[in-house]
Amino acid sequence: MSRPAPLSGFPELLPRQRIVEQRVIEQLSRTFELHGFASISTRAVEPLDQLLRKGETSKEVYVLRRLQAEEGDSSDSGLGLHFDLTVPLARYVLENAGKLQFPFRRYQIQPCWRGERPQDGRFREFWQADIDVVNRDDLPGHYEVELPLVIGDALRSLPIPAMRMHVNNRKLSQGFFRGVGLSDPMAAVRIIDKIGKIGPNGVSKLLTETLSATDAQIKLCLELAAITTEDQSFVDRVQALGVVDPMLDEGLAELSAVVGAAAVDAPGLVVADLSIARGLDYYTGTVYETFMTGYERLGSVCSGGRYDNLASDGKNRFPGVGLSIGVSRILVPLLNQNVLSASREVPTCVLVALPDTESRRDCDRIARSLRSRGIAAEVAPAAQKYGKQIRFAERRGIPYVWFPGEADQPGEVRDIRSGDQVGADVDTWTPPESDLRPTVG
Amino acid sequence: MSRPAPLSGFPELLPRQRIVEQRVIEQLSRTFELHGFASISTRAVEPLDQLLRKGETSKEVYVLRRLQAEEGDSSDSGLGLHFDLTVPLARYVLENAGKLQFPFRRYQIQPCWRGERPQDGRFREFWQADIDVVNRDDLPGHYEVELPLVIGDALRSLPIPAMRMHVNNRKLSQGFFRGVGLSDPMAAVRIIDKIGKIGPNGVSKLLTETLSATDAQIKLCLELAAITTEDQSFVDRVQALGVVDPMLDEGLAELSAVVGAAAVDAPGLVVADLSIARGLDYYTGTVYETFMTGYERLGSVCSGGRYDNLASDGKNRFPGVGLSIGVSRILVPLLNQNVLSASREVPTCVLVALPDTESRRDCDRIARSLRSRGIAAEVAPAAQKYGKQIRFAERRGIPYVWFPGEADQPGEVRDIRSGDQVGADVDTWTPPESDLRPTVG
């Protein structure tokens, strides 16, 4: 076949880039586990009726069919690839509710698929890293405070630009819009959500047309949406607007707890931003959106919120709160611009040089001895001149070349970056910790 | 929605089982990296024409379509889910040949999909762990010796039953059948491949019907297929059959190198089994099949071989040798029979008990201090009676509960397995290494 072309929207990485992705996934998993989140991995497919429950996303779903499915064989028709990790979580929780311990803290790092038109930061196949806490019946509000701090820990551990998480609360918005006297507070939330795209004038127009809002009502809504504070002072600013509603008070208290805790535990991470709404109907409390400094054009790279009705089987209700990191959305642009890279393109730390073809088994034993002490090693593919074998290592970024000694003599090891070459015992020589694995940055 | 039912052929794991799978994947990656294999991850989809090149598998492919694809929009039609990791590797190598270093040592651990009828050990979605070495133009034979040893290292590191790898060589079989005088040696390979299913009588019949083989020829073929040795003595036994062919000699030498090296480096792993053929046409040298002791009914759980024509772009040829571990085929039965399990179902090592609701932020600080030293910790969800909080830990298998001290007093930590409770300083207390993460076995 001729040389294949990449598929638009399905980003793939070269080995050196993949090392960065691996390290990021490893570090995210590590942080989530330190916080007691258990991993699950769900199948790639869900029944179509589950995937289409939200309506809005229906056009993006990839549907499956067996190439040679016989007429009338419906055993795996009606399946589609999941477009997020929330629908699978809801289904998994319902399916296994009797076998899970609640509150259920889970993380999940998997690819998702959407048939979207590919563009900067938007892909047809992309990795997400989700954390959620799901409970039966009720979910205490302290999880809405905790989850952004876990995400803060996770993102801070990565070699990526600083993140800024914008937080709001649905009760605050809906309570305020109700207190203002708007007929459909939820519709107002959806309109305010567009403020980034259509601006205050566009929002005014929509509020008038859709909700017959008065100028005074519109003024209050826009004043609310303009409030952004790094501390709890947003509470005073909202109260100064003079709108009164019990749900508004609840929302203010909840958002205040989130912002207050974050200001202490993760200074600079969280900002109260009362324009944040998130379009989806199912959020019922705190909502989160996160932007990467210098890459705001990518949109939110980590979003989520509290949903009181993630799943219900009629008897039991399962409320939850979750956040989803857009791993591909963050990494692919950084990797393509070489902002992020790895120090080598192979895990190998030591290339064992091959003096002659007959010595291969001896060289294998040297490599095995290094591996037994956790040092990644491979033997040169052919007994070429040593200069060529050194270049083999250089091209891959392998830091050390081991030269076997003759007969029972000890060998020598060369740091090919400095050219330093020293005698070395294969049973004791150890590279610096920082050379053991490729470094990422 | 009502409680959803599992989808046949799409196995999913509970959190405790998932810990085993995670650990297995981690350990396989670790071993492959110690041997200098670089990870790649390819997209889930390939163009249909690539997937159907092998003909035989066409009926198993899942084809994708966008639910709301417009008439005439073919931007992502003609895509299917990959059914193995070899077709994607061939495409990746051709697509990126100019950016890869050869010989290219890569590993890849991902799900694959086949629309097969689900049965014991056969799934519609399943994980595979592949290693391959691919070179440009030519591939030295020593990689056929090396790869089964890498797999041996990888499988030995897992808490699973012992493995037995049956090895043969296509040149040996084809050369022998040619030396015997059969008209179509490759057809004979495919017939001998069925011996496990249809027995020697079935094979005799097929050889007669398909290749007009004489009784003397059939006798020699069956004698060859009956040869199984743990050492290189198969060479003498083949030569005693008196068949002469230069390709046969090449095959004998190559297989002898594989079996000889394995007998030294991985005693008991490899057996020369001259009945092994592997049906697929593209193997050209060593072929491997692996069976798990006590689970032979699952069929081969790790197969592969050398292929001289994995990929070609007209100008360059890319020969390779690879082996594929059936991760799901091995793990799902062992997990479902509880042969394999994890010591707890959460990563959490310490549950910080909550004396009262007001203490949550203090307890958060205790948990954070533990995490900063690599100890996974979470705070109890509610300020229930301590007995209830201890049961919360017990149900999940969390080994330690931390009781915060009053005011500035140090706390106490209880090993809930033994009931031992001791005073402890949050900045220095450390559990035994073996309790830090769930153990698997």
Side-chain angles (χ1 to χ4, degrees), chain A residues 12-13 63 65 91-92, chain B residues 12-13 63 65 76 91-92:
Chain A
E12 284 188 328
L13 304 179
V63 184
R65 97 182 141 77
R91 192 263 312 155
Y92 182 93
Chain B
E12 284 187 327
L13 304 179
V63 185
R65 101 183 137 76
D76 53 4
R91 191 264 312 155
Y92 182 92

Side-chain angles (χ1 to χ4, degrees), chain A residues 1 12-13 18 22 34 37 39 43-44 62-63 65 67 76 91-92 107 124-125 142 312-313 377 381, chain B residues 1 12-13 18 22 34 39 43-44 61-63 65 76 91-92 107 124-125 142 312 347 377 381:
Chain A
M1 66 177 151
E12 284 188 328
L13 304 179
R18 166 66 177 159
Q22 280 186 293
L34 279 174
F37 287 80
S39 169
R43 61 190 191 223
Y62 278 115
V63 184
R65 97 182 141 77
L67 187 60
D76 51 6
R91 192 263 312 155
Y92 182 93
Y107 78 91
R124 294 187 155 187
E125 177 177 83
H142 61 77
S312 165
D313 60 6
Chain B
M1 65 178 153
E12 284 187 327
L13 304 179
R18 167 66 177 158
Q22 281 186 291
L34 279 174
S39 168
R43 61 191 191 221
V61 174
Y62 278 115
V63 185
R65 101 183 137 76
D76 53 4
R91 191 264 312 155
Y92 182 92
Y107 78 91
R124 295 188 154 185
E125 177 177 81
H142 61 78
S312 165

Side-chain angles (χ1 to χ4, degrees), chain A residues 179-202:
Chain A
V180 162
L182 291 178
S183 54
D184 184 346
M186 192 53 221
V189 166
R190 279 192 297 266
I191 291 171
I192 295 288
D193 189 45
K194 300 185 202 296
I195 199 164
K197 279 187 191 151
I198 60 176
N201 288 339

Side-chain angles (χ1 to χ4, degrees), chain B residues 328-399:
Chain B
S328 299
R329 190 176 286 187
I330 292 172
L331 285 187
V332 173
L334 296 176
L335 289 168
N336 284 341
Q337 295 171 22
N338 276 312
V339 176
L340 261 185
S341 189
S343 59
R344 51 189 199 248
E345 66 180 66
V346 291
T348 315
C349 177
V350 178
L351 176 75
V352 180
L354 186 66
D356 47 61
T357 305
E358 294 66 42
S359 305
R360 178 164 297 280
R361 295 282 292 152
D362 294 330
C363 292
D364 285 343
R365 268 186 286 278
I366 292 171
R368 191 157 69 245
S369 173
L370 292 168
R371 282 180 211 123
S372 72
R373 296 187 293 110
I375 303 164
E378 62 179 286
V379 178
Q384 296 172 302
K385 287 187 182 155
Y386 276 167
K388 280 203 164 187
Q389 297 192 43
I390 291 170
R391 277 197 293 286
F392 176 97
E394 266 169 355
R395 275 198 301 272
R396 291 158 178 77
I398 300 172

